[in-house]
Every structure is written in C-alpha cells, then in structure tokens.
Amino acid sequence: QVQLVESGGGLVQAGGSLRLSCAASGRTFSSYGMGWFRQAPGKEREFVAAIRWSGGTSYSDSVKGRFTISRDNAKNTVNLQMNSLKPEDTAVYHCAAAVSPYGPVSYAPTDWGSWGQGTQVTVSS
C-alpha cells in the first residue's frame, strides 16, 4: 500500500495559477501510474490528469491545454500545474496511485488503488 499526501491548494482568482504536489511513500514509486481527480460539492469524483510509469500523459477535455501533470521519480512526487483557472475548477483535488506496476491508467476512480486525503482548490470569479 502506498501513502499519498497532497499539498498546494488554496484560493485564487479566475485566470490565476496553482501548483499541486503529491508526495508518495511506501513502495517503488517509479513503476506506477499516478493520477489527479477532483470532486466538487454534490458531484461525482472526476478524472483530471494521469501520468504513466513511462511518462506518457492523459488529460480530461476540460483541463487540456491549461493543466500539466509531471512526476519526479527521485523525489517520489507527482505535480499538477494549473494555469488559467476557472471558477468551475473549484473542487477538492485528490492524488491517486495505480493498483499494479507497469500498467495502463484509467479514467475511472474505481480502478485506482490508493488515494490521498485531498486539497481544496477554490477559484473566485
């Protein structure tokens, strides 16, 4: 089992930027895909971005071109750079780790094995 701790959330005006980080511990980090999901009040948890063990990335259509996911295997961290933020980006952002090493990443929250507690991102208009 891997432990995940997110940081970097906060309050920002529309058009601004934030950088989220997720620190992982408990197993070999570099072999696993990592992802970011978000959940707004009254809504289901939704996929935001993922990065495979190989470095390949995927994004939801709603954040493509604005958000960038990256990983630092030496520091066991995965980051989410969020630019041009919109009020509809307001949510609790969760980091997730894949179940199996060297596997594909999924858009479905139920396919991910470990979750962080989340960090709040609020974008004011």
Side-chain angles (χ1 to χ4, degrees):
Q1 192 77 357
V2 62
Q3 291 76 48
L4 304 172
V5 179
E6 302 96 336
S7 61
L11 173 64
V12 64
Q13 289 188 331
S17 299
L18 282 174
R19 183 178 177 85
L20 305 183
S21 292
C22 173
S25 61
R27 68 181 185 191
T28 304
F29 176 78
S30 61
S31 306
Y32 291 81
M34 299 294 295
W36 286 95
F37 289 75
R38 66 187 181 187
Q39 188 165 19
K43 295 187 177 181
E44 294 186 350
R45 190 167 296 188
E46 65 172 359
F47 172 80
V48 175
I51 185 165
R52 298 165 185 78
W53 64 271
S54 60
T57 58
S58 299
Y59 297 92
S60 69
D61 288 343
S62 62
V63 307
K64 196 173 296 182
R66 300 188 297 123
F67 292 10
T68 303
I69 189 172
S70 62
R71 64 189 301 157
D72 186 336
N73 290 333
K75 296 182 179 180
N76 282 11
T77 58
V78 59
N79 303 303
L80 186 68
Q81 178 66 43
M82 306 186 295
N83 299 328
S84 302
L85 283 161
K86 305 175 181 179
E88 51 263 44
D89 294 319
T90 295
V92 176
Y93 283 69
H94 296 270
C95 176
V99 174
S100 301
Y102 306 114
V105 295
S106 168
Y107 294 179
T110 52
D111 290 339
W112 293 76
S114 301
W115 293 88
Q117 295 288 347
T119 185
Q120 176 71 46
V121 171
T122 303
V123 184
S124 63
S125 57

